[in-house]
Amino acid sequence: MTQDTAPENHVAPETAPEVIEPSEAEHAELSAEPVAAPADEIASEPSLEPTAETTADEPVAAELAQTVPSSPAPAVQPSPQAEPAPEPVESFADVLAQFEKSHAKHAQPWGGPAQIDARVISLSVDQVFLDVGYKIEGVLPRSAFDNDAAKVAPGQTYPVSITGRNEEGYYQLSRFKVAQPKDWSSLEEAFAQKLAVAGTVTAVVKGGASVDVGVRAFMPASRSGTRDASELEALVGQQITCRITKLDVADEDVVVDRRVVLEEQAQIEAEGRYTALKQGDVVSGTVRSLMSYGAFLDLGGLDGLLHVSDIAWTRISKPEDVLTVGQKLDIKILKIEPETRKISLGLKQLQPEPWETALERYQPGQRISGAVTRVAEFGAFVELEPGIEGLIHVSEMSWGKKVRIAADILKPGERVDAVILSIKPEERRISLGLKQTLTDPWSEVGQRFPVGSQVQGPVTKIMGFGAFVQVAEGVEGMVHISEIVADRRLHHPSDVLHVNQIVQAQVLAIDTAKRQIKLSMKQLIPTSIDEYIVEHKVGDKVSGRVVDVSPAIIELGEGIRAVCRTGSGSAAVSTVAFLHAANAVERRCPGAQCQARTPAARSDSQLQDREAKRRIEAD
């Protein structure tokens, strides 16, 4: 029996599996601490597909399984390291994230501009809904399209970029090219092309915020587009769109700016909004600020001015009396200036204009009641109703008192009664009279002051042609300069009169239509001829000095001259000659003296008067 042959009844002992001891080098390699994988490998999603290495090892494992004896192997005490690892449990959020990532067809290999073709699904009043290939739609404001999306229809496609999600869960879209860099080369290309990049705000740090754009970047608070710290903290965890303003690969220093992207987007939206606005359109706006001359409203990226005169039909002194910051209003576009891009707005134009129907409610001669809204030097404005005011001129405030300043009679807020004198709706003017509510003193002037009666009153005004005298309350008469004195010629009424001087006069004429009364003061002043006639009677013997011989004119006293006609030894003195003697031309006849007796009145007195007039006119 050779050594290679065993006896038939001999049972070979069960041999233990051969254990191959590793070499010292292999032992050192196995016992070494495992090296941490790079960050990008850890962050990458695990692939669910079997690897090529695993697939290649499957036939070898099957072949080894066939060569192993079917006899049971001895029980081996398992070591702790040999326990199988528990199967990882994936959450629904991880599965959804992996699904969306696997369907991210818009992501380019180098992480460049992530734009996709989105299809318009529907349009609302202010938004456009688009299909971006996910289960949730994306939204764009109508202002992101030309002419406020007037020509956008369902089914059309537009290139867009996803920038995040809004509060309602829809994807926020942008028509900007937004890059999603994954390495430094992608960052350098986005920085060189000044592309907007997508990033996630990870934390608030000193002076700004930390943003993940593939690498850690810093965003200054002043360039974050927020107004305070609370708004900056609210960005943590949100995806934003920003632009790289500084990139230093050596120092790994990246600075991003979100504000510039927001401003560019707002400018594009405002441009689309501006082209959609037309004069006469009714739009919605929010009061942004209040000034003394009006209010500025935000029209969705555009500012418009609502002037204080266009807020309401009533007079408004301060806009803050009726408006507040943040108030939403429906306003009408009154004017658009393409050169300056100024927009004038109107609020009262959306309400009925009261002047259009003013003639239906107000007529001349109608008595009204209203409150004084403001007082000027020339008059006072009275509000008849909201939006309609009338003017009471100073000349229509009093019959007798000469009003120079309206504030002397009326005060703001005072309620008065007035009479409508005239109304012009096309000019938006109503003339009112305050004194017309009182009795007109001129209506009784003819009965109170008939022609020839005497009146007394103060001098109210002196002019070059005469003086005005107040006859009664609200009634004035004029004394012409020729009717002031009779014995001499005046150069100016102030030579004998002054304001507030009490004088007496005689009524010469009355014109109630023109409200004029002619007065005379000299008619009440006794003249020398009047005194002479009173002192002498018919038949008295008088003496005088001859001043003219053809005809014979005798001066009987100062300012008294008579025509002396000789006939049968007697002289006849004409009464008319006495009245007009002052107008005769004095011509001296030296040494001529005469004495004459005044004859009795003759029956032909008219002939004597006619002859005296003829002689005086001849002189």
Side-chain angles (χ1 to χ4, degrees):
M1 180 180 296
T2 62
Q3 296 180 357
D4 296 335
T5 305
E8 293 180 359
N9 56 354
H10 179 74
V11 178
E14 185 176 2
T15 60
E18 183 179 1
V19 179
I20 302 175
E21 295 291 336
S23 62
E24 294 182 0
E26 293 176 348
H27 181 75
E29 182 178 357
L30 293 174
S31 63
E33 189 72 14
V35 181
D40 55 348
E41 294 180 6
I42 295 176
S44 60
E45 291 289 335
S47 177
L48 300 180
E49 300 292 336
T51 60
E53 182 179 357
T54 306
T55 306
D57 291 342
E58 287 181 356
V60 178
E63 184 178 355
L64 291 175
Q66 295 178 0
T67 58
V68 174
S70 59
S71 58
V76 180
Q77 189 71 22
S79 62
Q81 290 82 359
E83 292 182 359
E87 184 178 357
V89 179
E90 292 184 342
S91 64
F92 177 77
D94 296 337
V95 175
L96 179 61
Q98 184 178 357
F99 173 80
E100 291 185 350
K101 183 176 181 181
S102 63
H103 286 70
K105 297 177 287 185
H106 57 278
Q108 297 186 10
W110 62 280
Q115 280 200 315
I116 58 175
D117 290 333
R119 181 174 56 86
V120 177
I121 300 175
S122 62
L123 292 87
S124 65
V125 178
D126 54 356
Q127 290 181 331
V128 178
F129 295 87
L130 300 98
D131 181 10
V132 293
Y134 296 149
K135 295 182 178 180
I136 302 175
E137 293 81 9
V139 292
L140 272 173
R142 295 181 70 104
S143 57
F145 299 88
D146 295 337
N147 200 17
D148 201 25
K151 298 182 178 180
V152 177
Q156 296 179 349
T157 58
Y158 294 92
V160 297
S161 299
I162 300 176
T163 60
R165 287 196 180 188
N166 58 14
E167 298 177 354
E168 298 177 355
Y170 293 102
Y171 286 106
Q172 287 183 341
L173 305 180
S174 173
R175 301 192 69 179
F176 277 94
K177 289 185 178 181
V178 181
Q180 294 180 342
K182 295 183 178 179
D183 51 20
W184 286 102
S185 60
S186 302
L187 291 174
E188 290 178 347
E189 187 169 351
F191 176 67
Q193 298 182 9
K194 295 183 179 181
L195 296 175
V197 297
T200 303
V201 180
T202 57
V204 176
V205 297
K206 182 178 180 180
S210 177
V211 183
D212 182 9
V213 292
V215 297
R216 184 178 180 276
F218 174 71
M219 180 176 64
S222 61
R223 308 305 302 176
S224 63
T226 58
R227 290 175 292 184
D228 50 30
S230 60
E231 291 187 5
L232 183 61
E233 292 178 357
L235 292 178
V236 176
Q238 295 186 12
Q239 188 176 15
I240 64 172
T241 304
C242 52
R243 180 173 295 168
I244 301 174
T245 57
K246 180 181 178 182
L247 179 64
D248 191 341
V249 179
D251 295 338
E252 296 185 358
D253 185 11
V254 182
V255 179
V256 295
D257 186 348
R258 176 174 176 257
R259 179 178 172 182
V260 65
V261 176
L262 295 178
E263 290 175 351
E264 290 179 358
Q265 291 178 346
Q267 184 177 1
I268 293 177
E269 293 179 0
E271 184 68 26
R273 182 72 171 167
Y274 181 80
T275 56
L277 296 178
K278 296 179 182 178
Q279 183 173 336
D281 290 349
V282 178
V283 297
S284 298
T286 304
V287 179
R288 187 173 58 84
S289 61
L290 297 174
M291 308 296 291
S292 59
Y293 50 84
F296 286 96
L297 276 72
D298 183 9
L299 306 179
L302 297 174
D303 285 346
L305 174 62
L306 177 61
H307 196 266
V308 64
S309 60
D310 292 317
I311 295 178
W313 291 112
T314 57
R315 187 174 296 274
I316 297 175
S317 57
K318 297 179 181 179
E320 52 265 24
D321 293 341
V322 294
L323 299 178
T324 56
V325 176
Q327 182 179 356
K328 295 185 179 298
L329 300 172
D330 290 335
I331 57 274
K332 185 176 182 179
I333 299 177
L334 303 180
K335 185 179 180 181
I336 299 177
E337 299 180 6
E339 297 80 7
T340 58
R341 302 180 73 87
K342 293 182 179 179
I343 302 175
S344 300
L345 306 174
L347 181 61
K348 70 179 185 182
Q349 285 74 13
L350 298 180
Q351 304 171 359
E353 184 177 0
W355 281 100
E356 295 179 354
T357 57
L359 284 176
E360 300 177 1
R361 300 183 300 277
Y362 305 105
Q363 298 295 330
Q366 180 181 351
R367 190 185 183 102
I368 57 92
S369 178
V372 178
T373 56
R374 59 194 178 102
V375 178
E377 184 176 353
F378 54 85
F381 291 91
V382 179
E383 184 182 39
L384 281 66
E385 66 176 63
I388 296 183
E389 290 183 348
L391 172 64
I392 303 178
H393 196 266
V394 289
S395 62
E396 302 295 340
M397 291 186 177
S398 175
W399 289 113
K401 187 177 179 180
K402 194 71 174 181
V403 182
R404 300 184 182 276
I405 301 177
D408 297 340
I409 304 296
L410 299 175
K411 305 295 181 183
E414 183 179 355
R415 195 157 192 88
V416 297
D417 292 336
V419 175
I420 298 177
L421 304 180
S422 64
I423 178 171
K424 298 179 180 179
E426 64 280 359
E427 298 180 7
R428 290 177 171 80
R429 290 183 179 180
I430 294 180
S431 298
L432 303 176
L434 181 63
K435 65 184 182 181
Q436 283 76 10
T437 59
L438 306 175
T439 303
D440 187 0
W442 281 93
S443 61
E444 302 176 354
V445 167
Q447 292 78 16
R448 295 177 60 186
F449 311 107
V451 176
S453 62
Q454 293 185 11
V455 295
Q456 179 178 331
V459 177
T460 59
K461 186 190 297 183
I462 295 178
M463 306 295 292
F465 52 85
F468 290 90
V469 179
Q470 183 177 352
V471 177
E473 183 71 22
V475 180
E476 288 185 351
M478 188 195 73
V479 181
H480 195 267
I481 187 173
S482 63
E483 297 293 335
I484 296 178
V485 295
D487 56 350
R488 67 183 183 275
R489 184 181 183 86
L490 299 178
H491 295 285
H492 196 275
S494 60
D495 294 343
V496 294
L497 298 176
H498 59 83
V499 178
N500 295 328
Q501 179 182 350
I502 304 299
V503 298
Q504 292 182 345
Q506 184 179 10
V507 179
L508 299 181
I510 298 176
D511 190 346
T512 55
K514 296 181 179 180
R515 297 178 180 269
Q516 294 179 355
I517 297 179
K518 293 182 180 181
L519 303 175
S520 176
M521 294 174 57
K522 74 178 184 180
Q523 301 297 333
L524 301 180
I525 301 175
T527 61
S528 56
I529 190 170
D530 293 332
E531 295 175 353
Y532 189 87
I533 293 175
V534 172
E535 294 175 358
H536 297 82
K537 61 182 180 297
V538 177
D540 289 349
K541 199 173 188 179
V542 295
S543 62
R545 182 171 59 90
V546 178
V547 296
D548 202 348
V549 294
S550 179
I553 297 177
I554 310 301
E555 184 180 23
L556 302 178
E558 185 178 357
I560 303 174
R561 296 181 183 182
V563 177
C564 181
R565 291 186 300 169
T566 59
S568 63
S570 64
V573 181
S574 174
T575 304
V576 179
F578 280 107
L579 298 177
H580 298 280
N583 295 328
V585 180
E586 181 180 359
R587 285 181 292 181
R588 184 180 300 274
C589 181
Q593 296 286 337
C594 75
Q595 292 182 352
R597 182 183 300 271
T598 57
R602 297 175 56 183
S603 60
D604 56 347
S605 59
Q606 293 182 353
L607 298 175
Q608 294 177 5
D609 293 343
R610 190 182 298 111
E611 182 66 16
K613 290 181 180 179
R614 186 187 63 79
R615 292 171 181 266
I616 292 173
E617 291 175 357
D619 293 340

